[in-house]
Amino acid sequence: MTYDNPGDKKYDAWLQWNLTSQCNFDCVYCFGKTPVNKKELREIHIEKLLSTLKKTNKVFRIGFTGGEPFLISNFIEACKRITEEHFISINSNIVLPAVKSFAESIDSRRVLFVQASFHPVELKEKNQFEKYVEHFHLLKKYGFNVVPEVVAYPPYKELIEENEIQLSQKEIELVKAPFIGKYNNSNYPADYSESEIDFYNLEKERINYHYQKEETCNAGFNVGVVFSSGDVYPCFQIKNKIGNIYSEINFENEMRRCPAKFCGCPLNKYDPKLFLLATS
């Protein structure tokens, strides 16, 4: 399992789209969710989006995150249209009914990966564990690269261990992602102990991704982030607007050095091949 771009997935640019902050889960460690309010769920303006992408003369990877992307009513239709010429990746808890329609109707060859976020407490409290397993294997059946990822949240250590055993019996092997945030006056991921790093099988290199002040980054050059409004910025911390997904995107002409002491979105590390393309 990998997040990297397989060699046959050829694209020139990446937009990571925070499609909505609304989510059907309410995880304590999440910093980007709000309760579901259907009146505030914005549909994707598909024709305007495709027109904007076409004007750039680039092939894109559109990374959908949230919140929960499958809450958007025309999300699958949008994915169908986008993947006619571009590629997508998705971050989702994969328990909503729309996941089945997605698996059955989207060409898996145009999807880099589905990050299937595993949330132990929410899955248990909402009685969704078996639905997660069902949809995981459904996506695999249709050829999707599914990454079952759990946040290495410090107080969940025993719970994660328990779930690992259950999931291994269902042929699912969890990948642990560093927790980003504060817990018990400790700042993570910097304050993981050596024993925690070993227990969670965390890669120190991945933890270090978040500490790269003054390192060269392609944010704004061939990578951007999109907010639910459609506005495009170089990254989630640099608020120099470079366009809107429904009108025009103006990528910058030069690479930049990361200005942040702590980077929550190391775009140059999350898609290394695209970063290398920018530096070549």
Side-chain angles (χ1 to χ4, degrees):
M1 292 176 294
T2 177
Y3 290 101
D4 292 343
N5 169 20
D8 61 340
K9 305 287 197 296
K10 305 293 185 183
Y11 53 88
D12 311 304
W14 169 27
L15 294 173
Q16 185 68 0
W17 193 346
N18 189 350
L19 198 54
T20 176
S21 62
Q22 297 188 58
C23 190
N24 53 316
F25 282 4
D26 188 24
C27 303
V28 66
Y29 44 77
C30 181
F31 50 80
K33 92 295 191 182
T34 57
V36 175
N37 182 341
K38 292 184 179 180
K39 292 182 179 180
E40 295 179 4
L41 286 168
R42 297 172 174 163
E43 284 195 341
I44 298 170
H45 300 296
I46 298 173
E47 298 303 330
K48 289 183 179 180
L49 165 64
L50 295 176
S51 175
T52 302
L53 299 181
K54 186 174 183 178
K55 284 190 288 187
T56 68
N57 292 315
K58 295 180 182 293
V59 176
F60 280 87
R61 160 191 169 183
I62 308 291
F64 291 108
T65 187
E68 174 51 55
F70 282 102
L71 286 171
I72 302 301
S73 61
N74 68 338
F75 180 62
I76 295 174
E77 180 187 355
C79 288
K80 285 180 183 178
R81 297 291 304 283
I82 292 168
T83 55
E84 289 174 3
E85 296 186 21
H86 306 278
F87 299 90
I88 63 173
S89 59
I90 299 175
N91 295 25
S92 168
N93 56 49
I94 70 165
V95 301
L96 290 174
V99 173
K100 185 175 186 295
S101 298
F102 175 88
E104 294 173 342
S105 59
I106 303 299
D107 185 351
S108 63
R109 295 171 297 179
R110 308 295 294 186
V111 182
L112 271 71
F113 61 83
V114 176
Q115 180 188 314
S117 301
F118 184 87
H119 303 292
V121 171
E122 290 293 299
L123 285 168
K124 182 178 180 180
E125 290 183 350
K126 290 180 168 55
N127 196 28
Q128 292 292 307
F129 179 89
E130 292 300 332
K131 182 59 67 175
Y132 178 96
V133 172
E134 176 190 338
H135 282 172
F136 175 89
H137 287 297
L138 181 68
L139 289 162
K140 294 287 286 186
K141 173 186 173 182
Y142 281 95
F144 292 91
N145 174 27
V146 192
V147 183
E149 186 174 88
V150 63
V151 175
Y153 186 49
Y156 286 3
K157 184 177 180 181
E158 292 183 1
L159 184 58
I160 290 172
E161 187 173 27
E162 176 186 323
N163 277 273
E164 276 194 293
I165 295 171
Q166 292 177 297
L167 289 170
S168 66
Q169 296 170 350
K170 299 178 182 294
E171 300 182 341
I172 300 175
E173 183 179 352
L174 283 177
V175 175
K176 287 89 166 181
F179 166 59
I180 298 174
K182 195 167 185 176
Y183 176 75
N184 274 359
N185 296 318
S186 294
N187 294 304
Y188 290 87
D191 290 341
Y192 276 115
S193 66
E194 287 296 326
S195 62
E196 286 176 319
I197 289 174
D198 290 341
F199 175 82
Y200 291 119
N201 195 29
L202 296 174
E203 297 178 8
K204 290 185 179 180
E205 181 183 5
R206 186 171 178 184
I207 292 175
N208 291 334
Y209 285 174
H210 300 282
Y211 305 93
Q212 55 173 331
K213 187 174 182 178
E214 298 303 325
E215 287 191 24
T216 303
C217 186
N218 53 328
F221 184 79
N222 62 355
V223 176
V225 301
V226 187
F227 288 82
S228 59
S229 63
D231 289 337
V232 184
Y233 296 86
C235 80
F236 288 112
Q237 299 190 70
I238 299 173
K239 297 305 195 308
N240 298 328
K241 184 177 172 181
I242 60 173
N244 187 283
I245 199 74
Y246 297 127
S247 56
E248 187 175 45
I249 302 171
N250 298 298
F251 283 112
E252 298 169 345
N253 296 320
E254 297 181 351
M255 303 271 273
R256 66 171 70 239
R257 293 190 180 277
C258 180
K261 183 178 179 180
F262 176 84
C263 176
C265 55
L267 302 175
N268 56 342
K269 304 294 187 181
Y270 285 163
D271 196 321
K273 290 187 179 180
L274 198 54
F275 176 71
L276 288 175
L277 180 65
T279 58
S280 63

